[in-house]
Amino acid sequence: MSTVPRAPGAPPGPPLWLLLELTYRCPLHCVFCYNPVDFVRTGAELDTQAWLRVLREARELGAVQLGLSGGEPLSRPDLEVIVAEAHRLGFYTNLITSGVGLDEPRIRALKAAGLDHIQLSFQDSTRQMNDFLSSTRTFELKARVAALIKQYDYPMVLNVVLHRLNIDHVEDILAMAERLGAEYVELANTQFYGWAWHNRERLMPSRDQVARAEAATMRFRERVGGAMRVFFVVPDYFESRPKPCMNGLGSVFLTVTPDGTALPCHAARMLPGLEFPNVRARTVREIWYESQAFTHFRGDGWMKEPCRTCPERHQDFGGCRCQAYLLTGDAANADPVCDRSPHHHLVTAAVARADAGAEEERPLVFRSPANSALLSS
Amino acid sequence: MSAPIRAESRPALDRRFRLQWEAAQSAHVLLYPEGMIKLNQSAGEILKRCDGRATVAEITADLERAFGVTGLAADVTAFLGMAAEKRWLTVVA
């Protein structure tokens, strides 16, 4: 989203982007999921009326892009009701789905409710790897869902999360996307949070793998021209400057988790010292403008060196607070992706281990309620 | 890549985009899958007239009437060319 950073001290703008994680229930068990590993501890899901109230309150503040995610949002039988209200309020509605549960009656009902867009995830280009990486038998189902998406005249957006185990298949993945009639393809390298963080040593690609995948993407773009738009999101561990994560916390982005907890980023629940408000108890307006969780990292007052005096601090906002916390133990440190960070060696060391060959014997941990219970104890 | 913009062309918003007024931003925005472009005033005024029926000449005349100015043709054509290049618009020659 093109957003001009505000001058320091200027009043905060509205939460333009609202992401509702409607449920953590999911038929897939992806090893790279960014959901919290302790998701089984999450409280009861909000009911329909509570979600509708969140939509109304956020829209009143100026929220306009709506992501409906999870878990698998189709696990909620009231998804159509939520979409219909969002559409009535003027949101642009994006469904972010594995496709499981999207049969013809449901896509017809979602279309009638005003759903604008469906982003369908694939785990790989072959049934074997797709099904292994998600620990399900869903490859053919996804191909059927892709056909339904075309049939119902949606822009076709495929999302494939890349990592060490599938990044060498980029050429095949793009060929599959072309066969399915995709208009946009997001090749999103794994961001290491949640389950992906837990599995990082198995999922981190080598530099060679990333370079080959980028080259394959370039060749594909040259061949298809403007007919398909292919986004290749470079894994940030391979960069020397951090991503402008969320345009800075509390700047444009608001997530509500299944139990109503409001977060300034979908991974932020891990950050210590933040008191996350719940939409059951507070209005979206109070949450956005007043709560400590949303004001603490807003602006640049929280920054330490080297960010505090860095000329680029209003371009990347110090990078990602969650990554700073995961890698250095202090969320106010510079994101170690930045080569000005005194902790940058932690990132280069992780990449060096990947270049040398990952620890193949370390078991992959699949996202499941049983594993979540194990990792929560 | 896209057709040249002529006075008799009839531009229409591409079906992948939705144009709407956002009071909170005091601006027209273009919405598309997981994204948004905030438009300046003139861009919003031009795009909202691109309904696939009005010609470029009619759109220009309407803008000149609405804002009490003349000589907008070159600016309107240049903007429409850029918008077509970005695939915000499809242009029926």
Side-chain angles (χ1 to χ4, degrees):
Chain A
M1 193 138 67
S2 65
T3 311
V4 182
R6 269 173 302 283
L16 297 173
W17 241 111
L18 177 67
L19 178 70
L20 304 185
E21 294 185 333
L22 296 173
T23 177
Y24 282 144
R25 286 174 286 151
C26 189
L28 270 56
H29 307 292
C30 301
V31 292
F32 52 77
C33 183
Y34 69 73
N35 282 167
V37 290
D38 60 353
F39 70 81
V40 285
R41 288 184 176 178
T42 307
E45 290 177 15
L46 294 183
D47 63 19
T48 311
Q49 289 310 313
W51 285 122
L52 299 187
R53 184 172 57 74
V54 170
L55 287 176
R56 286 191 288 269
E57 291 179 0
R59 182 70 185 131
E60 221 166 82
L61 292 191
V64 61
Q65 276 285 352
L66 176 69
L68 298 166
S69 176
E72 173 49 65
L74 288 159
S75 307
R76 291 276 307 206
D78 57 356
L79 180 63
E80 290 82 347
V81 177
I82 291 167
V83 167
E85 179 68 359
H87 178 72
R88 191 188 67 78
L89 292 166
F91 278 104
Y92 189 92
T93 51
N94 304 275
L95 176 64
I96 299 156
T97 180
S98 68
V100 178
L102 195 57
D103 54 12
E104 184 153 12
R106 279 204 98 175
I107 198 171
R108 192 187 306 123
L110 286 166
K111 186 87 189 183
L115 181 69
D116 290 295
H117 160 231
I118 301 171
Q119 185 206 92
L120 177 65
S121 66
F122 272 78
Q123 278 64 44
D124 206 333
S125 55
T126 66
R127 183 198 320 162
Q128 186 193 10
M129 279 306 279
N130 179 81
D131 291 3
F132 170 69
L133 292 166
S134 60
S135 193
T136 56
R137 300 168 72 176
T138 51
F139 185 73
E140 272 140 28
L141 175 145
K142 284 168 181 281
R144 283 199 301 278
V145 168
L148 275 178
I149 289 172
K150 294 295 279 187
Q151 185 187 329
Y152 279 80
D153 196 33
Y154 278 108
M156 169 79 127
V157 181
L158 289 192
N159 177 284
V160 184
V161 175
L162 297 182
H163 46 73
R164 188 177 188 89
L165 304 171
N166 69 359
I167 192 168
D168 293 331
H169 310 157
V170 156
E171 207 152 7
D172 294 334
I173 290 169
L174 288 170
M176 173 188 77
E178 191 179 17
R179 276 197 308 279
L180 294 171
E183 284 152 279
Y184 302 84
V185 182
E186 296 174 8
L187 299 172
N189 276 279
T190 301
Q191 312 239 11
F192 294 104
Y193 310 101
W195 297 84
W197 170 255
H198 200 79
N199 290 311
R200 189 184 69 168
E201 299 295 316
R202 289 293 307 276
L203 297 178
M204 181 78 69
S206 69
R207 277 183 197 282
D208 277 354
Q209 284 185 300
V210 174
R212 283 198 302 269
E214 273 194 286
T217 305
M218 291 299 292
R219 283 197 303 275
F220 183 83
R221 283 193 189 122
E222 276 164 28
R223 182 166 70 71
V224 301
M228 272 169 77
R229 297 195 63 190
V230 182
F231 301 92
F232 186 90
V233 183
V234 176
D236 64 354
Y237 274 56
F238 294 77
E239 305 271 27
S240 53
R241 284 289 178 274
K243 57 187 178 253
C245 199
M246 301 291 136
N247 263 321
L249 292 188
S251 160
V252 292
F253 200 84
L254 171 68
T255 298
V256 183
T257 66
D259 66 355
T261 306
L263 304 175
C265 145
H266 39 270
R269 203 173 210 162
M270 71 173 81
L271 298 176
L274 296 186
E275 298 144 33
F276 297 110
N278 194 292
V279 297
R280 294 179 210 261
R282 304 188 67 184
T283 65
V284 175
R285 180 181 293 278
E286 290 168 338
I287 287 168
W288 182 254
Y289 288 106
E290 294 165 22
S291 76
Q292 179 257 6
F294 281 79
T295 55
H296 182 74
F297 286 114
R298 187 174 278 154
D300 58 8
W302 56 271
M303 286 180 181
K304 309 203 304 195
E305 292 298 353
C307 297
R308 182 182 284 278
T309 55
C310 179
E312 295 173 37
R313 69 188 181 281
H314 298 132
Q315 289 156 42
D316 57 37
F317 316 102
C320 170
R321 297 306 87 230
C322 298
Q323 197 145 272
Y325 170 66
L326 282 172
L327 287 161
T328 76
D330 182 350
N333 277 335
D335 184 335
V337 162
C338 184
D339 66 10
R340 293 177 183 165
S341 157
H343 300 98
H344 185 59
H345 63 94
L346 297 171
V347 168
T348 51
V351 172
R353 285 198 300 281
D355 285 345
E359 303 168 49
E360 302 290 344
E361 66 280 9
R362 182 191 288 250
L364 278 169
V365 179
F366 289 89
R367 177 204 192 276
S368 70
N371 283 334
S372 179
L374 279 173
L375 292 169
S376 306
S377 57
Chain B
M1 213 149 56
S2 41
I5 309 291
R6 297 197 298 263
E8 65 276 21
S9 306
R10 298 174 196 274
L13 201 62
D14 187 277
R15 68 178 184 86
R16 288 180 288 195
F17 290 94
R18 192 165 94 205
L19 176 73
Q20 75 186 33
W21 172 257
E22 281 299 297
Q25 300 176 63
S26 305
H28 281 95
V29 298
L30 271 183
L31 297 165
Y32 57 98
E34 296 174 66
M36 177 174 73
I37 296 155
K38 184 174 174 178
L39 300 168
N40 64 26
Q41 192 201 357
S42 47
E45 292 294 335
I46 297 169
L47 283 183
K48 80 180 191 193
R49 288 168 169 81
C50 295
D51 59 5
R53 293 191 298 274
T55 64
V56 172
E58 287 163 350
I59 290 169
T60 306
D62 191 40
L63 286 163
E64 290 176 343
R65 221 170 15 251
F67 294 95
V69 291
T70 56
L72 291 183
D75 285 349
V76 170
T77 303
F79 172 80
L80 291 174
M82 184 277 292
E85 200 64 35
K86 288 181 182 291
R87 295 168 175 262
W88 298 350
L89 293 173
T90 53
V91 180
V92 179

